[in-house]
Amino acid sequence: MSAVYAHFGLTPAMRAGAVLADGGYQVHRDFVDFIVDGRPLLHRLSDLDAVSPLASDVPPAIFTAQVRGLLLEADAPLPDGRYVIYGCPECADLACGAVTAVIERIDDDYVWRDFAWQTEGEVDLRLNGYHGIGPFRFEGGAYRSALGALLDRPDAAADPGPAPRRRVLLIGARVAVLARLAAALRTIGIGADFTRDAEHVPADELRGYGAVAFGRAIGEQERTAVRRAFERAGVEVAYVDGLAPIVPLLVAQIEHALDRSPRERRRLTALSVTDGAADIEVTSPCRVRLTAYRLDRLYRTHTRELLDDVLEPGHHRLPLDAKAVRGQSYVVARTTGSVLVTAVAH
């Protein structure tokens, strides 16, 4: 085993929730990702929708057991000393597939090796091993310090600073749309309330929100009054101007607004659509999905999947079907942990 060390760290991460084009949902998950040599380990896996076992919504006893497992203070949950590094974000069932690795002690150091995709008790490294990842040798003191901090402050699983406010206040005129949007957000794990007037909401309640979403019918005077109410409460929130009364589109806007991760740690960093093509910037190989939403002259919603492919790091200009993005239309781009929304410029 080489004595060359990799740097180990932790960072807040998320798997963005979504209302899917087929009517299904994917739940929002906040978790701690592993940093190896300054880069999220998950970013080395280009086509993986997964979260680490260090998720903010697991019971404290289970979270503590996961940390102690990574510290080798508990027996490995899988044969041959294998631990789950990333698992299914919906159910955490091994049958759905998981990235596992052997974790062992060598002298005072910790080594992660033999990464593999695993769906049952035994794993075939020749067929399912990640041959380009690892082994990683971490200096023992730094490794224990990073993980030990999670035991001292379990809330750090969601954010190393103040606990994130995963709640949004919806302000609009169309109650039916607000009700559907609030229900969709709650389904994917984001708290939501709606009102037309926030001026009389108690300050303690306002401090629980991380974002405010305005409907298109809300004028500037009403928006200003809402902003003043939050200023008086002494809380900073993200403000979202709803692009259109399309629930999946609004969910994507709100997910983006609630994303507090550092920009340099995001996989998807830019999106625009002009002249019938989408311009996308990605920071690491990743699966990107593009979905178009269009309102016709009768304000009916049309949805079209435009792309589902793995893109390499850098800038990509992707021609789009002109019919899918004509008129009043919008595009949502998603990848692991990142979502961006843009109106189509004509």
Side-chain angles (χ1 to χ4, degrees):
M1 175 64 63
S2 170
V4 175
Y5 288 99
H7 178 268
F8 180 84
L10 301 169
T11 188
M14 75 167 188
R15 186 262 199 162
V19 178
L20 304 178
D22 62 3
Y25 296 88
Q26 68 178 35
V27 69
H28 176 96
R29 300 293 302 280
D30 289 302
F31 64 100
V32 170
D33 198 5
F34 309 108
I35 297 294
V36 178
D37 289 335
R39 179 184 178 194
L41 182 58
L42 187 57
H43 288 196
R44 299 173 187 257
L45 305 165
S46 61
D47 190 14
L48 183 66
D49 180 19
V51 300
S52 83
L54 306 179
S56 64
D57 55 351
V58 300
I62 295 177
F63 181 87
T64 298
Q66 296 287 0
V67 175
R68 295 200 180 282
L70 295 173
L71 289 167
L72 301 184
E73 296 175 0
D75 292 337
L78 298 171
D80 303 320
R82 302 193 71 84
Y83 293 80
V84 173
I85 305 300
Y86 296 109
C88 173
E90 299 289 343
C91 66
D93 192 328
L94 183 63
C96 291
V99 176
T100 67
V102 174
I103 301 179
E104 62 184 0
R105 286 282 295 272
I106 296 181
D107 298 326
D108 191 46
D109 301 330
Y110 293 78
V111 175
W112 290 18
R113 62 173 174 84
D114 295 341
F115 287 82
W117 178 253
Q118 191 165 352
T119 57
E120 52 189 21
E122 301 293 333
V123 63
D124 187 330
L125 290 176
R126 184 177 61 84
L127 292 176
N128 298 312
Y130 286 101
H131 302 294
I133 299 180
F136 303 117
R137 183 167 183 159
F138 305 117
E139 191 276 322
Y143 183 91
R144 287 189 294 270
S145 177
L147 288 169
L150 297 181
L151 297 177
D152 296 334
R153 279 190 58 228
D155 61 312
D159 191 335
R165 289 166 281 138
R166 303 292 309 174
R167 194 170 192 86
V168 60
L169 182 62
L170 311 174
I171 298 179
R174 299 177 61 177
V175 174
V177 174
L178 296 177
R180 291 200 303 273
L181 176 56
L185 289 167
R186 292 168 189 150
T187 298
I188 66 172
I190 297 175
D193 304 294
F194 57 90
T195 185
R196 184 66 188 260
D197 180 10
E199 286 196 272
H200 302 295
V201 177
D204 285 345
E205 291 187 26
L206 294 180
R207 296 188 186 105
Y209 295 103
V212 176
F214 294 112
R216 295 194 296 184
I218 301 302
E220 188 56 39
Q221 184 174 349
E222 291 174 283
R223 293 169 188 245
T224 299
V226 170
R227 292 189 179 96
R228 286 175 178 167
F230 277 91
E231 288 173 1
R232 288 195 298 270
V235 60
E236 292 186 8
V237 295
Y239 292 99
V240 177
D241 293 321
L243 289 173
I246 302 172
V247 168
L249 179 72
L250 296 170
V251 167
Q253 283 192 268
I254 290 167
E255 275 282 16
H256 174 67
L258 291 173
D259 186 358
R260 297 294 191 268
S261 63
R263 191 174 187 276
E264 63 272 14
R265 295 274 168 84
R266 300 180 190 181
R267 305 181 89 167
L268 184 63
T269 56
L271 169 69
S272 62
V273 179
T274 56
D275 300 324
D279 289 282
I280 301 173
E281 293 277 356
V282 295
T283 60
S284 64
C286 57
R287 178 186 176 191
V288 176
R289 289 175 292 158
L290 288 183
T291 306
Y293 298 94
R294 181 175 64 85
L295 289 176
D296 63 19
R297 287 178 296 177
L298 298 177
Y299 288 92
R300 295 172 299 193
T301 300
H302 300 265
T303 304
R304 181 80 169 271
E305 295 293 344
L306 303 174
L307 175 76
D308 188 347
D309 202 358
V310 175
L311 300 181
E312 293 299 314
H315 172 265
H316 300 267
R317 185 165 177 81
L318 307 170
L320 304 178
D321 185 340
K323 293 181 180 179
V325 292
R326 69 179 185 270
Q328 189 178 164
S329 54
Y330 311 89
V331 171
V332 175
R334 287 186 175 277
T335 189
T336 305
S338 300
V339 57
L340 292 177
V341 184
T342 187
V344 175
H346 295 285

